[in-house]
Amino acid sequence: MPNRNRYLAPPAADIDRCRSMLANGSRSFHAASMLLPAAMRPAAIALYAWCRQADDAIDLAPAEQRSRAVDLLLRRLEALYAGDVLDTPAERAFAWAVRAHSIPQDLPHALIEGFVWDAEVRRYPDIQALHAYGARVAGSVGAMMSLVMGARDAEALARACDLGVAMQLTNIARDVGEDARMGRLYLPLDWCEAEGIDAEAWLRAPTFSPALGRVVARLLADAEALYIRATPGIALLPRTVRPAMHAARLLYAEIGREVERRGLDSVSGRAVVPTARKLRLLGNALMDAWDGVPADARAPLEATRHLVEAAMRGLPDSIPAAEFENRLHWLVDLFTRLEREEQAMLGGKAG
């Protein structure tokens, strides 16, 4: 007999393991997640823990084994959506979140595609290509989080993807030196060329220069434009989740401002937002969460359009019919039992 409760209650032990994983490795998310309503945190924690595990499965695999690691990850994702037995806490927790919030498989699949691009050490010829990368590794997560928060409206989804891409561009601007020392360059190649930077030569001896600073500045400006586009979408979310989303937006945007304070030099060191400023920003997030912002009806970025369309396909495409029936049966059983208990109580009073 199928377990009719498995979509309604999160697997507590698995969520605890996921929470520990994120507390040690994803502190910015962990801080922002504490502003989510308690009932919503398990799904958010499950989502981010699975993303972290998937990233590590590819990124930490030896180069000669990465293709095999990708194939294994895709097979395990298929198994997760098929309802098979899973053997890691992150997978079990994510499987519950997928079914509880109707997350279509196209979204985590897009994320894995982005991880593959990382493993291939791709270069990005222009900002549109970089947006396509950001859509996969961060816009997909924005879309999934939007579904967790109950927002399936096209406009809300488009703005969530904007926010995800903006955050990824900020990460890239912050990590230029760190990435270069691993042989990776995410900056748009045409922008580098316009500044007289030869990508291959620069990667052999990565150093900061005013020319590189101008490329980083352009990237931060593009991110800022996306943060501005994304902000109205937060007003489309339930009021109880807006503080967390404002916090995420403010914390990541502040990373970019810290890069600017360092003279746009993200090669010599890594920009870090001081704890005191983070706390102040979290306070601002609580204040901003209740301010109304005019809706932004702009279409999604071309790079994220497929994510928005996938997310809008909704419940029939992401939950097999038999499993959906299980939920309906559970609800019917619940209301039948409540009705019988009520009748019994009324009968007792009459006696």
Side-chain angles (χ1 to χ4, degrees):
M1 178 180 294
N3 179 356
R4 294 172 182 170
N5 294 321
R6 62 177 168 156
Y7 308 118
L8 301 174
D14 291 333
I15 295 296
D16 286 343
R17 292 282 298 277
C18 292
R19 185 181 289 109
S20 296
M21 181 193 310
L22 294 174
N24 293 327
S26 300
R27 291 175 185 170
S28 291
F29 164 75
H30 189 260
S33 72
M34 297 308 293
L35 294 178
L36 286 172
M40 204 172 287
R41 284 179 214 153
I45 288 167
L47 166 58
Y48 272 81
W50 180 84
C51 293
R52 171 60 57 194
Q53 179 172 288
D55 189 11
D56 288 347
I58 298 174
D59 197 42
L60 300 182
E64 67 276 9
Q65 295 181 21
R66 280 181 183 155
S67 177
R68 182 179 178 183
V70 171
D71 289 343
L72 177 60
L73 186 57
L74 289 172
R75 288 199 303 272
R76 293 183 73 87
L77 182 66
E78 291 285 347
L80 187 153
Y81 272 83
D84 293 349
V85 175
L86 304 165
D87 58 11
T88 72
E91 287 176 314
R92 289 192 296 267
F94 184 53
W96 162 77
V98 157
R99 287 160 177 77
H101 298 281
S102 306
I103 298 174
Q105 189 172 346
D106 286 348
L107 298 181
H109 193 280
L111 179 67
I112 293 173
E113 185 178 16
F115 293 157
V116 171
W117 290 10
D118 273 335
E120 294 172 348
V121 196
R122 284 200 184 192
R123 305 278 171 77
Y124 298 93
D126 50 39
I127 191 61
Q128 289 75 28
L130 192 59
H131 283 171
Y133 167 71
R136 283 158 178 77
V137 297
S140 61
V141 180
M144 287 189 277
M145 273 300 298
S146 186
L147 297 180
V148 165
M149 292 183 287
R152 199 175 292 273
D153 172 82
E155 189 176 325
L157 288 162
R159 302 292 76 84
C161 290
D162 288 343
L163 182 57
V165 175
M167 289 176 170
Q168 188 60 34
L169 297 182
T170 299
N171 281 342
I172 291 169
R174 177 195 61 193
D175 297 339
V176 172
E178 189 174 308
D179 289 332
R181 285 183 279 277
M182 295 188 292
R184 295 177 174 178
L185 179 66
Y186 292 93
L187 299 175
L189 296 179
D190 59 346
W191 291 3
C192 293
E193 184 178 349
E195 292 292 346
I197 299 170
D198 180 280
E200 294 301 330
W202 183 83
L203 276 172
R204 287 194 292 271
T207 55
F208 177 73
S209 66
L212 185 70
R214 288 191 289 272
V215 175
V216 172
R218 287 184 72 176
L219 190 61
L220 289 174
D222 194 83
E224 182 62 24
L226 288 172
Y227 285 123
I228 292 170
R229 278 173 59 107
T231 301
I234 297 175
L236 301 174
L237 299 172
R239 289 173 66 87
T240 53
V241 305
R242 293 178 199 168
M245 291 303 98
H246 274 293
R249 175 183 64 84
L250 291 172
L251 288 170
Y252 268 84
E254 189 63 21
I255 292 171
R257 295 190 180 94
E258 189 63 28
V259 172
E260 292 171 343
R261 291 186 190 99
R262 295 170 58 91
L264 299 166
D265 180 2
S266 51
V267 178
S268 304
R270 195 173 195 258
V272 176
V273 179
T275 300
R277 199 182 309 151
K278 282 184 179 179
L279 292 173
R280 187 164 63 250
L281 290 169
L282 289 173
N284 291 344
L286 291 172
M287 299 282 291
D288 293 346
W290 317 120
D291 293 339
V293 181
D296 188 332
R298 280 183 285 187
L301 287 174
E302 190 58 37
T304 64
R305 186 181 302 278
H306 67 294
L307 301 175
V308 174
E309 291 172 352
M312 289 184 64
R313 284 199 287 273
L315 186 141
D317 289 333
S318 50
I319 298 182
E323 296 179 355
F324 183 49
E325 289 173 9
N326 288 340
R327 278 202 227 177
L328 292 179
H329 288 318
W330 187 91
L331 289 172
V332 169
D333 289 348
L334 173 64
F335 283 112
T336 300
R337 187 169 68 253
L338 291 174
E339 184 178 4
R340 286 173 181 166
E341 290 175 358
E342 184 178 357
Q343 289 175 347
M345 288 177 63
L346 290 174
K349 288 179 181 178

